[in-house]
Amino acid sequence: MSDPMPHLLIVDDDERIRELLARYLKKSGFLVSAARDAGHARRLLAGLEFDLIVLDVMMPGEDGLALTQALRKVMTTPILLLTARDETSDRIAGLEAGADDYLAKPFEPKELLLRINAILRRMPDPPQMQAAPKVLTMGEVRYDMDSGELSDKGDPIRLTGTEVQLMRIFSAHPGEPLSRTRLVEELGRGAGKDGQAQERAVDVQITRLRRKIEADPKQPRYLQTVRGEGYMLVHD
């Protein structure tokens, strides 16, 4: 399987420049998103991951230097600054703010492409994610995430259709509290006018599932209640 295209974020208040750069970089094999100002960029960064940010310095409101400094406090995504000023002091200010490179306008698109590729080559390969466990252990109980089967000391535990769904939902989010409303939605029932009744039904299903998982269902260790948030599955 081929590597995914690097995702670039272009931040420039000049619409013409944004469109030209986006079109050129897309043709060069990148996935490109664009933002018109710092606020727009922050919203995109909050929901998406990028491999590199091409950021104009001279923008109204929060400029590129201020945004670079702010981003460096929360992320290591490489930043290439673009500016109409090419004074040594400006380049130093950009690098001190945390930028990885600095390119003065006007520039040839080819030079921008070369600089982007050079920065990406310098970036270390992302650490290999440790494979998530395929079998969750809860005391003597085992849950096979692939088959959806629950067993106690090797003996299969029979699950109802709803319990099978609940185990799949919880095992996909171990250690994460899931609200009753979310569980209703994940089960595909939809809250509708009977939302409270559906949530109470979830409580009943959780109680029954605990009897099959917990050594002491009245003091659950693995299928826990998180006050004010919902239920959470933890494993050994």
Side-chain angles (χ1 to χ4, degrees):
M1 185 176 179
S2 59
D3 293 334
M5 294 185 294
H7 192 180
L8 309 182
L9 174 61
I10 299 171
V11 188
D12 198 306
D13 63 303
D14 189 318
E15 182 178 2
R16 183 183 64 86
I17 292 178
R18 287 200 311 272
E19 292 180 350
L20 287 173
L21 291 181
R23 188 158 53 245
Y24 177 76
L25 293 171
K26 286 176 182 177
K27 288 182 179 179
S28 300
F30 295 100
L31 178 63
V32 179
S33 296
R36 60 186 174 273
D37 55 30
H40 189 192
R42 288 178 182 277
R43 291 192 293 274
L44 291 176
L45 288 163
L48 298 170
E49 290 188 4
F50 295 91
D51 297 287
L52 185 142
I53 302 169
V54 179
L55 175 59
D56 184 35
V57 171
M58 303 297 292
M59 295 189 298
E62 184 179 13
D63 65 20
L65 290 180
L67 180 58
T68 297
Q69 289 176 324
L71 294 179
R72 274 293 163 262
K73 296 177 181 178
V74 296
M75 62 180 62
T76 59
T77 306
I79 298 173
L80 171 58
L81 290 178
L82 304 178
T83 183
R85 299 187 302 190
D86 192 25
E87 297 294 330
T88 300
S89 59
D90 295 321
R91 293 198 300 272
I92 292 175
L95 296 174
E96 287 181 338
D100 295 82
D101 203 350
Y102 194 101
L103 184 58
K105 298 178 180 179
F107 55 84
E108 289 294 329
K110 180 66 173 179
E111 182 179 3
L112 174 63
L113 178 62
L114 291 173
R115 287 177 181 255
I116 288 173
N117 285 327
I119 293 172
L120 293 176
R121 282 197 301 270
R122 294 199 299 266
M123 295 301 295
D125 292 332
Q128 294 295 319
M129 297 295 291
Q130 186 175 0
K134 294 297 183 182
V135 176
L136 301 184
T137 302
M138 295 162 283
E140 299 290 348
V141 174
R142 304 285 187 274
Y143 175 70
D144 189 313
M145 296 177 66
D146 289 332
S147 66
E149 295 177 350
L150 197 68
S151 62
D152 184 359
K153 300 178 183 178
D155 297 325
I157 299 174
R158 184 165 181 164
L159 297 175
T160 65
T162 300
E163 290 168 350
V164 169
Q165 287 181 277
L166 283 172
M167 284 303 302
R168 289 194 183 280
I169 295 167
F170 281 120
S171 64
H173 306 278
E176 177 184 342
L178 303 178
S179 69
R180 292 186 298 172
T181 300
R182 180 173 175 182
L183 291 172
V184 169
E185 293 173 351
E186 294 271 3
L187 288 170
R189 295 176 175 177
K193 294 182 179 179
D194 298 321
Q196 291 184 343
Q198 294 284 16
E199 291 181 7
R200 287 196 296 272
V202 167
D203 293 338
V204 173
Q205 295 294 339
I206 294 293
T207 298
R208 292 175 178 172
L209 188 54
R210 279 174 172 160
R211 293 172 186 163
K212 300 179 179 182
I213 294 176
E214 304 285 354
D216 183 357
K218 293 183 179 180
Q219 295 184 336
R221 175 181 176 185
Y222 299 107
L223 190 46
Q224 300 178 2
T225 298
V226 181
R227 187 179 298 275
E229 295 189 55
Y231 298 105
M232 177 176 68
L233 180 72
V234 297
H235 60 89
D236 295 328

